[in-house]
Amino acid sequence: MQPLTPRLLVTLALVAAGTFVLAAAAATPAVAPLPDDPACTAMDRKFMARAIELVRDSVAQGRHPFSAVLVKDGLVLAEYQNSEDTTHDVTRHAETGLISLMSPKLDRATLAACTLYTSTEPCTMCCGAIRFAGIGRVVYGVTETQMLLVMGLPPGAAPLASREVFARTAPDVKVLGPLMEAEGLPLHVAYWSQHPLRFLPPK
């Protein structure tokens, strides 16, 4: 048997790490992207591309793969990347973080005229923040149910869709999406294959 020299130990560690990465990627469910919402415009694609670029940056840093971009009259007013993992504040989703940052700076009329681009469909908490901020239009990239499939959420989970939340609580908010899911979904695959969820057994 070949002696375990330092160089051989490093080589074995790298091989093991590579095997883990491949196994994790293989364990991530294959999810086909949904078609774009036909109501989305070329301008919507432009700003969603920016949201996806921010997610790509987050994933490269090992951070949660979510972002939000606030736009009015074709100009970006603010951008925010999910900071829950760096702040340890569970309310610091991309949407809530951006709204917390900007709502003291913008009046209600300005917020009502804005579009919020979210790389992934807003959760119910973020929908509430969007509602109370008075943002008039939301365009999301990856559908939440698609993301949950990639995350390996147990079968049977049925989250409330953002359209249903807004229809019941803020029907004036216009919601479009998915958009560019073919570009956004692989970033979730890249992140969650390296950071798999660990589900706790029911108590």
Side-chain angles (χ1 to χ4, degrees):
M1 176 181 288
Q2 185 177 354
L4 294 176
T5 64
R7 176 175 292 181
L8 180 57
L9 287 171
V10 170
T11 301
L12 290 172
L14 290 172
V15 170
T19 302
F20 171 79
V21 168
L22 290 174
T28 303
V31 180
L34 297 174
D36 289 345
D37 184 336
C40 292
T41 67
M43 187 71 75
D44 292 330
R45 292 187 66 86
K46 172 185 174 181
F47 293 114
M48 185 57 67
R50 175 56 185 162
I52 291 171
E53 183 180 350
L54 292 171
V55 172
R56 190 173 290 111
D57 175 70
S58 292
V59 171
Q61 298 179 52
R63 296 175 56 191
H64 289 179
F66 305 95
S67 72
V69 179
L70 188 68
V71 175
K72 181 179 183 291
D73 298 330
L75 297 176
V76 174
L77 301 185
E79 299 177 340
Y80 198 92
Q81 292 158 278
N82 182 299
S83 62
E84 181 183 351
D85 49 351
T86 56
T87 63
H88 307 292
D89 180 348
V90 297
T91 69
R92 286 290 171 173
H93 288 194
E95 301 91 331
T96 50
L98 185 148
I99 290 168
S100 179
L101 177 69
M102 297 305 295
S103 59
K105 302 177 181 180
L106 301 174
D107 59 37
R108 299 284 291 185
T110 299
L111 287 167
C114 286
T115 295
L116 182 65
Y117 293 89
T118 68
S119 61
T120 299
E121 183 177 6
C123 69
T124 51
M125 175 180 72
C126 292
C127 288
I130 293 166
R131 171 198 173 191
F132 285 108
I135 294 171
R137 186 171 181 265
V138 177
V139 181
Y140 67 84
V142 174
T143 306
E144 185 177 15
T145 51
Q146 294 278 90
M147 176 198 70
L148 293 175
L149 288 173
V150 167
M151 291 168 71
L153 200 72
L160 214 56
S162 59
R163 279 185 172 86
E164 182 178 354
V165 176
F166 287 120
R168 298 178 65 178
T169 63
D172 291 337
V173 176
K174 186 174 184 181
V175 183
L176 289 81
L179 179 62
M180 300 174 67
E181 194 170 88
E183 289 84 352
L185 204 56
L187 294 173
H188 278 290
V189 173
Y191 179 83
W192 297 111
S193 64
Q194 299 300 305
H195 304 83
L197 291 182
R198 292 174 174 81
F199 296 102
L200 299 176
K203 294 181 179 180

